[in-house]
Amino acid sequence: MKFRKQKIAGFLLITLIFLFLLHTEAKGGEGEEILKKTLETEGMINLSGSCYTASFMKPYEFSNNVRVFWKKPNKIRMEYFAGDTLRMIFITTKDKSWQFSPADNIVFFKELSPQTKEVEKRKQDLLLSNYDVKITGRESIAGRDAIVIKVGCKYPSRPSKKIWIDDKTDVILKSEQYNSNGDLMLLTYFKRVNYNPFLDDIHFRPPQGRIIRLVSENETKSFSPEELSKVVGFKVVLPSFLPEGYILEGYYLYRCGCGVDMAHLRYFDGLNSISIFQGKKDCPICSEDQRRGFFRRRMGMMGRRGMRCAPRE
């Protein structure tokens, strides 16, 4: 079964949300100290559970029920359902990830490079530098006592986040992300959680007998501007201004849905990101009325799929 681009973007978005949850586990105490401590112990707990997750971000509205399995160290399996139908499965280990649909015969495989891990460490450092982390109260989530923490940017007009952390196990039980206007954009929470279940390693391996398709290294490799310009066939233009607190993640090669190579410039501030896509002036497939100017930008933790060409001129 093939999914609409909106659905695929949704699945990728939720994956990135759960990865952020792993990077922000915490326990009682002062907010920033809680976060610092738990960043050092991520991925070191066994659990299974069921979650509900939803996006209110137009045009990416969606909702899913998700079965979650975590096994230390750093093994994650997430199963996404539409109603009672299993639609997509993501498996992530310390240095590998797999994505597949039960209805298809293809497994998309990706190796997580040392560069990616270095970027994640930089994001954690930036998060503590650019954001205030404050305890705001306590609530009960999935029958567990949770500490409520607000992560707000030190700069005005930026997105923010609230997280609910299990006081006994350091696991985030609920997460809400808001845009710069204070509107709820993303919601994820546990409906049920079971700690220390028996989890066989087979659950964290791809199914046998399917075609393994390696995600292109070009989609994850960071180029210099000069190298990327040669690959895409035009001079990549760097932005003259970035909001305060953002730094470069990398310059990447992105293949548009129409098959045309584009330049992808990505910047982050620890919690949010800005992506700038640049393509050739005359795309042979995307029509004139689908062009939206020199840069096409998206803010937030979004997947890089479903984009059309962003012309250079």
Side-chain angles (χ1 to χ4, degrees):
M1 178 183 297
K2 293 185 178 180
F3 299 100
R4 294 178 302 173
K5 292 179 180 178
Q6 177 178 334
K7 282 289 186 182
I8 295 177
F11 290 131
L12 293 174
L13 178 60
I14 296 304
T15 300
L16 291 171
I17 293 171
F18 272 102
L19 291 178
F20 175 80
L21 297 187
L22 282 179
H23 287 304
T24 53
E25 296 172 0
K27 198 171 182 177
E30 292 300 321
E32 187 168 321
E33 292 304 315
I34 293 171
L35 196 54
K36 286 180 180 179
K37 179 181 177 181
T38 56
L39 290 175
E40 299 172 357
T41 59
E42 59 177 332
M44 299 303 294
I45 192 167
N46 295 340
L47 69 78
S48 63
S50 60
C51 295
Y52 174 80
T53 186
S55 168
F56 309 100
M57 186 185 309
K58 297 181 180 180
Y60 298 100
E61 300 99 327
F62 61 85
S63 63
N64 290 101
N65 290 308
V66 187
R67 287 198 305 199
V68 182
F69 305 89
W70 294 352
K71 183 175 182 178
K72 61 182 179 183
N74 301 308
K75 296 178 181 178
I76 308 168
R77 179 186 176 101
M78 293 180 290
E79 302 176 350
Y80 295 89
F81 289 80
D84 295 327
T85 304
L86 178 60
R87 292 300 184 90
M88 189 68 72
I89 298 173
F90 288 88
I91 298 174
T92 303
T93 63
K94 185 177 181 180
D95 55 3
K96 298 179 178 65
S97 69
W98 296 268
Q99 170 190 337
F100 56 94
S101 166
D104 294 333
N105 194 39
I106 298 176
V107 176
F108 294 94
F109 169 69
K110 179 179 178 180
E111 292 191 36
L112 305 179
S113 66
Q115 172 184 287
T116 300
K117 297 169 188 175
E118 179 183 345
V119 167
E120 290 302 318
K121 178 61 169 62
R122 292 169 65 199
K123 287 181 180 178
Q124 294 172 7
D125 293 340
L126 270 179
L127 178 63
L128 296 175
S129 174
N130 289 331
Y131 287 82
D132 291 317
V133 184
K134 298 179 180 179
I135 298 173
T136 62
R138 288 178 175 266
E139 294 181 18
S140 178
I141 304 293
R144 307 284 301 185
D145 184 29
I147 301 169
V148 186
I149 289 183
K150 181 178 180 180
V151 183
C153 192
K154 297 176 181 178
Y155 306 108
S157 301
R158 298 283 180 89
S160 62
K161 196 175 188 79
K162 287 179 67 176
I163 49 180
W164 285 252
I165 303 101
D166 192 315
D167 189 31
K168 301 296 184 182
T169 63
D170 303 341
V171 171
I172 290 185
L173 300 173
K174 182 178 179 180
S175 171
E176 294 179 348
Q177 185 158 337
Y178 298 84
N179 65 14
S180 57
N181 294 323
D183 302 319
L184 180 62
M185 293 285 100
L186 303 170
L187 168 66
T188 300
Y189 62 86
F190 273 99
K191 298 187 290 185
R192 176 185 58 81
V193 61
N194 176 33
Y195 293 108
N196 298 314
F198 172 75
L199 297 172
D200 196 302
D201 280 341
I202 195 172
H203 293 298
F204 303 94
R205 300 171 188 159
Q208 299 295 315
R210 298 197 182 196
I211 299 171
I212 303 295
R213 182 170 296 173
L214 178 66
V215 175
S216 172
E217 177 64 20
N218 284 340
E219 296 182 16
T220 58
K221 176 184 176 182
S222 181
F223 297 83
S224 70
E226 294 76 19
E227 291 172 334
L228 188 54
S229 295
K230 292 179 181 179
V231 173
V232 297
F234 59 85
K235 183 178 179 180
V236 175
V237 181
L238 306 185
S240 59
F241 168 79
L242 285 173
E244 193 170 3
Y246 279 88
I247 67 171
L248 174 70
E249 175 182 320
Y251 305 109
Y252 305 102
L253 175 65
Y254 170 77
R255 177 149 290 175
C256 173
C258 66
V260 173
D261 287 340
M262 300 172 62
H264 176 199
L265 288 62
R266 188 173 176 87
Y267 303 84
F268 62 89
D269 72 349
L271 178 61
N272 298 285
S273 65
I274 298 176
S275 285
I276 301 174
F277 294 85
Q278 300 178 27
K280 293 181 178 180
K281 178 179 179 180
D282 297 314
C283 174
I285 298 178
C286 293
S287 61
E288 187 69 26
D289 62 354
Q290 291 168 326
R291 298 177 178 178
R292 295 292 184 266
F294 194 100
F295 293 131
R296 180 169 294 182
R297 305 193 307 170
R298 289 182 300 173
M299 297 189 66
M301 296 182 290
M302 297 297 298
R304 300 203 302 265
R305 297 195 179 195
M307 293 290 293
R308 287 190 175 271
C309 287
R312 294 177 56 241
E313 298 177 4

